Amino acid sequence: MTPLTFYMVAAGMFGLCIGSFLNVVIYRLPLGQSLASPPSRCRNCGYSLHWFDNIPVFSWVFLRGRCRMCGVGVSWQYPVVELITAILFVLIVWVTPPGALLASRLLLVCILIALFGIDLEHQILPNIITLPGIVIGLALSVFAPPGIKDALIGAVLGGAILYAIAGVYYLVRREEGMGMGDVKMLAMIGAFLGWKAVIVTLVLASFAGAIVGLSMIAVQRGGMKYALPFGTFLALGALAAMFADKPLIAWYAGFF
Ligand SMILES: [Zn+2]
């Protein structure tokens, strides 16, 4: 095994474990439960998972997506989140040299996966993730691209655009169309990735949201109102913006 292969495999294994933790965050954080204890249990029978029931992806496949004790189905969300985290970790480690930028990218991916899942399931974007995310994103940008100036402009721009859209929507429709969670989330994305990525993220998220929203209306033919979790689309847009990021490509070219 070449050192590079070993490095990638290690990144993938690390990603699987972090993905396993993100599953816990997505399930427990919105319920206000502790992330550390108790150990993972079956939601149906309360069976406390042993370490060999809890190996990312492998255990789920080995047990064919069922609880060892009661046989109730275990959501496919678990292995999927673990696999996606692992794949993204490998991709990022592949294109990013070790250092502050790598730490920043890996952390942002974890936050985006958690917010993606939580917003999809619970339609909330917890402050306990987005607000520290803004601070940490800015702090890391002091040492890594996009640089603190771009990051500050990004945080302010990201927050201001969505705040303005939310304000206009409220004036026109007299109801809240966009939560403050989305405002804080885009500010956080700006803090990590800079102001250009804020624009790319917003365009991609709106585009994806519009396509999914219109297809849902076309399929269901019901009322016109669907509460699409915009944070879910912001997470997808930010991931795309991150991988299309110029500094990253430049670093990549210089690294290999
Ligand atoms: Zn069970």
Side-chain angles (χ1 to χ4, degrees), residues 35-55:
L35 300 181
S37 65
S40 300
R41 287 166 189 279
C42 170
R43 288 185 210 178
N44 185 49
C45 69
Y47 165 67
S48 198
L49 270 61
H50 290 97
W51 65 268
F52 50 79
D53 298 318
N54 222 352
I55 301 166

Side-chain angles (χ1 to χ4, degrees), residues 16 37 80 105 112 114 139 173 179 207 221 230:
L16 285 176
S37 65
V80 166
R105 294 292 193 248
L112 291 176
R173 301 286 296 267
F207 195 63
R221 290 184 202 165
F230 194 55

